[in-house]
């Protein structure tokens, strides 16, 4: 068999990395759709989700900001981003009313990013929407397959 000219290029569309990426985008899109229609999400934030202005990058703040607040460097490190990139996201989320900056009680020179009341409502809605999207995934592929996928991904990610 001549390996220099593969006859079957299907692998480029069906390899595990591509499938995982597609699954993640599909899952996140479903979460955003649910967020856009969740009555407990503040209207302005719901509209942002509905217009697809909330991206995976913005969700890093939802996933990584500690409930008690985080310094920008901590938040960036947790999300695997640069401080500059996270700073831009925090600026945007602050303009949207999700977060605010406040003095760090442990260091007068530092600032902490904390959820606003609307941000906490967003976080709770995000939790519910992720749970619903996961339940839909489980219903789609079956409980046993979903459990095997979850266990396999946890093992692969080192959780």
């Amino acid at each position: 068999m001549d390996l220099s000219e593969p006859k079957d290029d299907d692998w480029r569309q069906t390899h595990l990395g591509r499938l995982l990426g597609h699954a993640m985008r599909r899952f996140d899109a479903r979460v955003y759709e649910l967020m856009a229609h969740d009555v407990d999400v503040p209207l302005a934030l719901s509209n942002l989700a509905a217009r697809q202005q909330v991206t995976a990058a913005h969700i890093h703040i939802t996933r990584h900001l500690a409930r008690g607040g985080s310094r920008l460097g901590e938040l960036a490190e947790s999300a695997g981003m640069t401080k500059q990139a996270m700073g831009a996201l925090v600026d945007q989320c602050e303009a949207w009313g999700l977060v605010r900056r406040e003095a760090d009680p442990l260091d007068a020179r530092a600032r902490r990013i904390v959820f606003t009341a609307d941000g906490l409502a967003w976080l709770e809605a995000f939790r519910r929407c992720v749970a619903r999207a996961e339940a839909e995934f489980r219903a789609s592929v079956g409980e046993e397959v979903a459990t095997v996928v979850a266990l396999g991904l946890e093992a692969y990610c080192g959780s």
Side-chain angles (χ1 to χ4, degrees):
M1 177 176 179
D2 183 8
L3 298 178
S4 62
E5 293 186 33
K7 303 284 187 237
D8 180 9
D9 276 348
D10 289 348
W11 68 269
R12 296 186 337 177
Q13 303 302 315
T14 60
H15 66 81
L16 185 58
R18 183 165 172 94
L19 292 172
L20 287 170
H22 180 67
M24 185 181 75
R25 285 187 298 279
R26 180 177 173 184
F27 187 87
D28 284 349
R30 180 61 179 144
V31 171
Y32 303 151
E33 180 183 353
L34 293 168
M35 294 288 289
H37 297 96
D38 190 302
V39 296
D40 292 326
V41 172
L43 184 58
L45 298 173
S46 175
N47 286 336
L48 289 169
R51 292 193 318 263
Q52 298 177 346
Q53 290 185 304
V54 178
T55 66
H58 296 102
I59 296 301
H60 279 313
I61 290 178
T62 305
R63 288 185 175 130
H64 297 282
L65 180 59
R67 284 186 183 268
S70 303
R71 291 184 182 175
L72 182 64
E74 296 167 342
L75 183 56
E77 183 178 336
S78 176
M81 300 173 68
T82 65
K83 283 176 66 173
Q84 293 79 10
M86 182 55 75
L89 286 175
V90 168
D91 289 343
Q92 193 165 37
C93 290
E94 189 172 29
W96 291 347
L98 277 173
V99 299
R100 70 176 181 277
R101 288 178 170 93
E102 62 181 35
D104 187 327
L106 302 176
D107 183 350
R109 300 167 297 162
R111 309 277 293 163
R112 292 185 72 71
I113 296 104
V114 298
F115 283 111
T116 62
D118 281 351
L120 289 171
W122 171 269
L123 181 62
E124 178 56 24
F126 183 73
R127 184 195 62 75
R128 284 192 315 274
C129 292
V130 165
R132 182 167 169 198
E134 188 171 318
E136 290 172 358
F137 169 75
R138 288 179 173 283
S140 174
V141 301
E143 193 65 35
E144 289 180 5
V145 170
T147 299
V148 169
V149 167
L151 291 172
L153 290 173
E154 286 174 7
Y156 182 71
C157 294
S159 301

